[in-house]
């Protein structure tokens, strides 16, 4: 049983809408808030490192590096279009069989979001399509299916707090994979961004595969901090993940470590 990938980690929040920055320099607090909400027109390149332990009946291990360039594009006076790609590089052992090792590129996910530039009363939303491309270099690392569906986010910004949810649904429409895709993804989250540029996020990522009645998910708590190396600003952070659900290929626990390169306007 292959786990359906969850390709909507919290970094959708980085750049969905325009919360326009007019200053030449951006404070650590402002960057932390932009990273916690999708109203920020912030170009960024998240490098999300996931280490998952105790996978399936063989107690396998999986390392997944998600390279996620996020590029906001102004398409009118009132609207932004956000392009977000997720390029997974995967290495795993004892997942598909005892002594088996697979390393390579996974399926690439491409999201496009359309969202208003102005957040009214702190409420933010964005909608658009999500596509999953069968680019895996090993059958064990992908679905071998062309997949697409709708993607949406809604959240509320209140002071130092940002909270809301992401949801999408994907169907497969072509490809040689054995299993069709008919799955819903749901991710609630809440973030507190401090004045020092530090932030704490609590989020869960949940996937329901409807055709085979498999539910999988995990919850995590992540601490992050804005730092500078010379002129390059970035956010460093991470934290533990705990898995749940009836997916036989769920991990027991995991660690997420993030490096996000920031390019504020």
């Amino acid at each position: 049983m292959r786990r359906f990938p969850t390709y909507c980690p919290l970094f959708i929040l980085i750049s969905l809408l325009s919360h326009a920055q007019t200053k030449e320099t951006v404070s650590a607090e402002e960057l932390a808030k932009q990273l916690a909400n999708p109203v920020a027109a912030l170009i960024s390149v998240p490098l999300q490192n996931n280490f998952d332990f105790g996978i399936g009946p063989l107690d396998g291990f999986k390392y997944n590096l998600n390279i996620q360039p996020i590029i906001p594009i102004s398409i009118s006076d009132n609207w932004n279009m956000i392009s977000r790609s997720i390029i997974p590089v995967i290495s795993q052992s004892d997942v598909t069989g005892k002594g088996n090792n697979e390393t390579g590129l996974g399926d690439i996910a491409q999201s496009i979001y359309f969202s208003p530039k102005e957040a009214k009363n702190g409420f933010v939303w964005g909608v658009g399509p999500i596509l999953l491309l069968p680019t895996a270099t090993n059958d064990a690392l992908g679905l071998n299916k062309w997949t697409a569906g709708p993607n949406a986010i809604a959240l509320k910004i209140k002071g130092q707090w940002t909270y809301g949810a992401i949801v999408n649904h994907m169907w497969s429409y072509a490809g040689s994979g054995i299993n069709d895709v008919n799955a819903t993804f749901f991710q609630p989250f809440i973030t507190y961004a401090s004045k020092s540029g530090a932030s704490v996020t609590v989020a869960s990522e949940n996937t329901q595969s409807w055709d085979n009645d498999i539910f999988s998910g995990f919850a995590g708590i992540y601490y992050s901090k804005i730092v500078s190396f010379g002129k390059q600003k970035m956010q460093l952070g991470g934290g533990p993940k705990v898995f749940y659900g009836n997916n036989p290929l769920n991990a027991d626990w995991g660690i997420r470590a993030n490096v996000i390169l920031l390019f504020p306007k």
Side-chain angles (χ1 to χ4, degrees):
M1 184 68 65
R2 187 176 298 155
R3 183 191 307 168
F4 183 75
T6 55
Y7 281 122
C8 284
L10 194 60
F11 297 114
I12 282 179
L13 301 181
I14 293 174
S15 293
L16 287 185
L17 309 175
S18 170
H19 191 58
Q21 288 290 339
T22 58
K23 300 178 181 178
E24 292 185 0
T25 59
V26 182
S27 70
E29 178 188 1
E30 289 168 335
L31 283 173
K33 287 183 177 180
Q34 289 183 60
L35 284 165
N37 83 73
V39 297
L42 175 65
I43 297 175
S44 62
V45 182
L47 304 174
Q48 184 193 86
N49 300 273
N50 294 280
F51 304 85
D52 297 334
F53 304 89
I55 298 175
L58 300 176
D59 289 328
F61 168 78
K62 180 177 181 180
Y63 167 70
N64 186 356
L65 166 64
N66 286 323
I67 305 168
Q68 307 174 76
I70 300 172
I71 303 174
I73 302 169
S74 176
I75 58 175
S76 73
D77 291 340
N78 299 318
W79 290 86
N80 273 346
M81 181 181 76
I82 310 301
S83 171
R84 176 177 178 272
S85 305
I86 301 180
I87 306 167
V89 180
I90 303 167
S91 180
Q92 62 184 25
S93 59
D94 296 329
V95 174
T96 60
K98 189 65 177 177
N100 289 356
N101 298 277
E102 296 90 17
T103 299
L105 182 68
D107 291 340
I108 294 176
Q110 176 65 49
S111 295
I112 299 293
Y113 281 86
F114 299 94
S115 52
K117 290 182 176 181
E118 183 179 355
K120 295 183 178 180
N121 299 318
F123 179 72
V124 178
W125 61 273
V127 296
I130 181 171
L131 306 173
L132 187 63
L133 312 178
T135 55
T137 57
N138 186 304
D139 287 346
L141 304 179
L143 299 174
N144 288 319
K145 287 288 188 179
W146 294 87
T147 307
N151 207 1
I153 182 170
L155 63 86
K156 177 74 172 180
I157 306 163
K158 188 174 182 180
Q160 308 299 114
W161 295 90
T162 301
Y163 52 90
I166 300 163
V167 63
N168 69 51
H169 188 92
M170 291 203 284
W171 297 271
S172 56
Y173 58 90
S176 60
I178 298 175
N179 299 316
D180 290 333
V181 176
N182 176 21
T184 301
F185 174 86
F186 177 67
Q187 178 183 334
F189 58 85
I190 183 168
T191 296
Y192 177 83
S194 73
K195 295 183 181 298
S196 68
S199 62
V200 177
T201 296
V202 178
S204 68
E205 301 180 23
N206 308 279
T207 301
Q208 174 66 52
S209 180
W210 298 101
D211 288 347
N212 51 23
D213 196 26
I214 289 180
F215 173 77
S216 59
F218 64 86
I221 180 168
Y222 315 112
Y223 173 83
S224 301
K225 179 77 166 126
I226 302 294
V227 297
S228 296
F229 290 91
K231 295 183 179 180
Q232 178 63 59
K233 291 186 178 295
M234 62 181 65
Q235 186 186 62
L236 303 179
K241 305 187 296 182
V242 177
F243 289 77
Y244 48 82
N246 65 346
N247 191 327
L249 290 181
N250 261 357
D252 290 334
W253 65 283
I255 297 173
R256 175 172 289 177
N258 299 316
V259 178
I260 308 176
L261 304 178
L262 307 175
F263 304 94
K265 295 182 178 180

